[in-house]
Amino acid sequence: MIWTFIVLIGLHVLLFSRVNMLKSRHSNQSSEAVYTILIPARNEQHNLITLLPTVLGQELVKEVIVINDQSTDKTREVAESFGATVIDTPPLPQNWMGKSWALWNGVNYATGNHFIFLDADTWLKPEAIKKIDTAFSKQRYQGAMSIQPYHEMKNWKERFSILFHFITAASTGSTQLFRSKDSTVGGYGQALVMNRNTYIGIGGHEAIHEEVVENLALIQQVKSRNLPVQAYIGKDIIHMRMYPNGWSELVNGWSKSFAKGAMMTNSVMLFLISIWLTFYFTAAMEIFHITDQVSFSIWATFMLSYSFLFWMQANLFGKMKWTDMFLIPLFFFGFLYIFTRSVWNGVFNKKRFGKTGRLVEEIKKMGWVGLVLYWGCCQLLIALWSSSWSYSAIRRSFSTNKWLYPNDREKSLYQKLRISKWKDILPDAGGWFSSSQSKKTVKRDEINSFFYETVRAEQSHWLQILPVFPFFWMNDTVLLCWMVLYGVLVNVPFIFIQRYNRARILPLLKRSIIR
């Protein structure tokens, strides 16, 4: 249990120890940069009332263009009342996503030499554009710069977004301990800054017109041309409020974009994030294996310590109350539910998300990434469940399943495979759980329990192959083959080891002991 928490904290430090904050000071030097603010808006009259007054008074802003994307409310009237330029989007062409089409048309009216693509549910703090310009000038106005707005969360349901913000930040590579100062691997979606020449050079939104998460797709286009990309957290510069209308809006909103974003994440970062989540769920579920007060005290101390560490950094991404520290396990399991739901919808259903009415067919493409992560969680849950099996239940299983007895042919196979030469190199997870037994070293008086531990471990690894079956429903033969291969490689060697160990110690046990 202690090692689980040590690894969890180590992964947290690796992934989140250097949050890249946008500096709250601007340069006193004059700037010749001229910015056009482009705001796509579909039925955003209430958000524009908050956003536009904070934008129109900013220095360095030449114009604010609101692209009215077939709104049925007073979006146009509100935008015009504040003096913004309003254009209406033409009919949506085939294979274009609505937001990309809106921004592509907005750029055609822009006259500034730099663009800021800004979501309507954000707002700016005083002198925000000058501070953004200071940061962008350090890139010599090349490449792209994205900003994650600080999330103003007014109720506890909105705080379920906080883990998504953490993972989004980690996926950009801008928060990890050994990140590059020159560039990041990804970016954020709510605020994107780009030079006009860069935008034209990468083909603009036309080049990524089929992508659901258009800002991340644009950033990938920039990265592909070896141009600098930076990602910042915008506390005290750009703020936002997401999904204020309750649980349903939050689930549908994150389901639309998050899993697709996971597919576009760097594979190394995706792996590290997955491991971090796995160790958190492992640590949290250790409570089901605690049998004494001392172990519970140790577990509670570590959980509260990690929750405090998480809460401290969460305040960089959004407004948290001190009582939220005790709800962090709920946020993690809420994330697992939302992500699993989005994977299910993305793989098995053609579904419309949210009130904007955009068909999210493209989300089906993200399914394999979500299933890889989901499979990992399934394996973890199976391992935790199997570690709680009682030896009496395992005895019954062993006595009624003769195939658990290795036969002579198997013993000969294990000798040919030279299992004794390499079995100790592989990790032994038995010692990770309080109710299981390590199989690296066994004392003489532990042979009986060790015998049944090999049965438990073997059955657990057979069950851990089962999560491969959802991949049979996907029309991707290559992916299916890789997943089957993965399931075999990470489980079958351990099954062989358990049967090999059992074959060796079976003669040492009296029949009366194993009945």
Side-chain angles (χ1 to χ4, degrees):
M1 176 172 64
I2 294 176
W3 277 107
T4 301
F5 279 103
I6 291 175
V7 174
L8 173 64
I9 293 172
L11 287 169
H12 185 100
V13 171
L14 176 64
L15 289 170
F16 307 112
S17 60
R18 296 181 63 186
V19 179
N20 201 19
M21 305 296 294
L22 189 59
K23 293 183 179 180
S24 57
R25 295 182 179 180
H26 60 80
S27 173
N28 292 324
Q29 297 179 353
S30 60
S31 174
E32 297 180 359
V34 177
Y35 289 87
T36 294
I37 312 295
L38 296 118
I39 306 168
R42 173 181 287 190
N43 297 332
E44 298 283 4
Q45 67 177 61
H46 298 294
N47 284 329
L48 291 178
I49 292 173
T50 302
L51 169 61
L52 290 177
T54 69
V55 175
L56 292 166
Q58 298 275 341
E59 294 185 42
L60 305 181
V61 174
K62 181 178 183 181
E63 58 193 351
V64 176
I65 299 177
V66 174
I67 305 99
N68 181 30
D69 189 11
Q70 302 177 18
S71 298
T72 57
D73 64 358
K74 296 183 179 180
T75 292
R76 166 176 278 279
E77 290 82 352
V78 169
E80 289 178 337
S81 69
F82 284 99
T85 301
V86 181
I87 65 170
D88 294 316
T89 58
L92 184 67
Q94 187 176 6
N95 298 327
W96 273 78
M97 298 306 295
K99 188 174 179 182
S100 291
W101 177 242
L103 289 171
W104 175 251
N105 281 276
V107 167
N108 292 332
Y109 289 85
T111 59
N113 54 9
H114 305 301
F115 304 144
I116 299 180
F117 304 109
L118 201 59
D119 281 5
D121 57 0
T122 61
W123 64 89
L124 305 185
K125 293 294 184 176
E127 299 188 326
I129 300 299
K130 293 182 68 176
K131 296 169 185 176
I132 291 172
D133 179 70
T134 299
F136 197 35
S137 66
K138 294 179 180 178
Q139 298 179 214
R140 298 181 179 179
Y141 300 107
Q142 296 180 350
M145 185 179 83
S146 63
I147 305 166
Q148 171 70 26
Y150 182 78
H151 193 174
E152 295 279 0
M153 297 175 284
K154 301 295 180 65
N155 60 63
W156 68 275
K157 291 181 180 179
E158 293 178 61
R159 295 185 181 92
F160 274 89
S161 291
I162 196 64
L163 189 58
F164 289 90
H165 295 325
F166 262 80
I167 295 174
T168 301
S171 69
T172 69
S174 64
T175 62
Q176 60 180 298
L177 182 61
F178 302 108
R179 67 176 171 85
S180 169
K181 293 183 179 180
D182 298 327
S183 188
T184 57
V185 298
Y188 306 110
Q190 291 92 338
L192 178 65
V193 185
M194 190 176 296
N195 176 271
R196 173 186 287 274
N197 293 332
T198 299
Y199 181 84
I200 295 172
I202 64 173
H205 285 87
E206 185 178 29
I208 49 93
H209 63 274
E210 293 183 328
E211 297 291 342
V212 175
V213 191
E214 75 295 326
N215 279 2
L216 297 184
L218 281 177
I219 289 170
Q220 285 192 339
Q221 291 290 321
V222 174
K223 289 287 293 184
S224 68
R225 287 161 174 77
N226 296 318
L227 295 171
V229 171
Q230 285 290 354
Y232 296 96
I233 304 298
K235 184 178 181 181
D236 297 326
I237 295 176
I238 300 181
H239 287 212
M240 68 175 176
R241 189 178 180 197
M242 296 175 64
Y243 314 131
N245 297 321
W247 179 252
S248 177
E249 183 184 30
L250 183 144
V251 171
N252 289 338
W254 281 117
S255 295
K256 171 192 170 184
S257 59
F258 190 79
K260 175 66 177 179
M263 181 181 175
M264 302 169 70
T265 300
N266 176 275
S267 58
V268 175
M269 294 306 304
L270 185 64
F271 174 76
L272 290 174
I273 293 167
S274 302
I275 297 297
W276 169 67
L277 288 170
T278 299
F279 270 90
Y280 181 86
F281 290 124
T282 301
M285 295 185 70
E286 279 285 348
I287 191 174
F288 297 108
H289 304 295
I290 293 174
T291 57
D292 58 88
Q293 187 173 358
V294 174
S295 297
F296 177 78
S297 299
I298 295 173
W299 176 86
T301 299
F302 274 106
M303 281 298 291
L304 285 174
S305 298
Y306 183 74
S307 294
F308 179 73
L309 172 64
F310 186 93
W311 176 82
M312 287 286 290
Q313 287 196 291
N315 280 281
L316 298 176
F317 297 95
K319 187 176 182 180
M320 303 282 286
K321 295 182 178 179
W322 71 269
T323 52
D324 294 328
M325 183 171 59
F326 303 101
L327 299 177
I328 286 172
L330 189 62
F331 298 154
F332 271 84
F333 283 95
F335 163 82
L336 184 61
Y337 163 74
I338 294 172
F339 191 82
T340 303
R341 183 180 183 275
S342 88
V343 168
W344 180 268
N345 288 333
V347 176
F348 298 107
N349 296 321
K350 290 183 178 180
K351 187 171 182 177
R352 293 179 182 271
F353 289 86
K355 297 179 180 179
T356 56
R358 295 188 177 106
L359 180 63
V360 193
E361 175 105 15
E362 192 70 14
I363 200 170
K364 290 172 66 66
K365 295 182 181 179
M366 66 80 194
W368 67 271
V369 175
L371 278 175
V372 169
L373 298 178
Y374 184 63
W375 192 11
C377 292
C378 286
Q379 289 181 295
L380 170 64
L381 294 174
I382 291 170
L384 289 169
W385 173 52
S386 65
S387 70
S388 66
W389 295 346
S390 65
Y391 282 135
S392 61
I394 297 173
R395 283 194 196 95
R396 290 193 298 270
S397 173
F398 185 76
S399 62
T400 57
N401 293 282
K402 300 303 181 182
W403 63 272
L404 290 171
Y405 290 88
N407 56 40
D408 291 338
R409 183 177 296 179
E410 275 190 72
K411 295 175 185 178
S412 176
L413 173 64
Y414 300 150
Q415 293 294 331
K416 293 178 180 178
L417 292 175
R418 298 184 178 183
I419 291 179
S420 61
K421 300 293 185 182
W422 51 265
K423 69 184 185 70
D424 291 334
I425 299 176
L426 299 182
D428 173 25
W432 296 0
F433 308 106
S434 57
S435 57
S436 300
Q437 178 180 344
S438 173
K439 296 173 282 299
K440 291 290 187 182
T441 57
V442 182
K443 299 178 181 178
R444 183 177 297 274
D445 59 352
E446 295 175 338
I447 291 179
N448 190 46
S449 60
F450 171 79
F451 181 84
Y452 291 111
E453 174 64 19
T454 65
V455 178
R456 183 206 63 78
E458 179 187 344
Q459 292 179 329
S460 175
H461 279 289
W462 280 115
L463 290 172
Q464 288 179 47
I465 297 177
L466 295 180
V468 73
F469 285 99
F471 291 91
F472 284 92
W473 277 269
M474 300 186 68
N475 296 321
D476 192 331
T477 305
V478 174
L479 177 63
L480 173 62
C481 292
W482 275 110
M483 291 299 99
V484 171
L485 180 62
Y486 171 79
V488 170
L489 289 178
V490 301
N491 289 291
V492 171
F494 294 95
I495 292 173
F496 282 174
I497 290 173
Q498 306 316 317
R499 297 185 70 85
Y500 169 80
N501 286 336
R502 197 156 60 248
R504 290 183 63 200
I505 65 174
L506 190 58
L508 303 177
L509 296 173
K510 295 180 180 180
R511 188 175 297 276
S512 60
I513 296 177
I514 62 174
R515 285 177 180 172

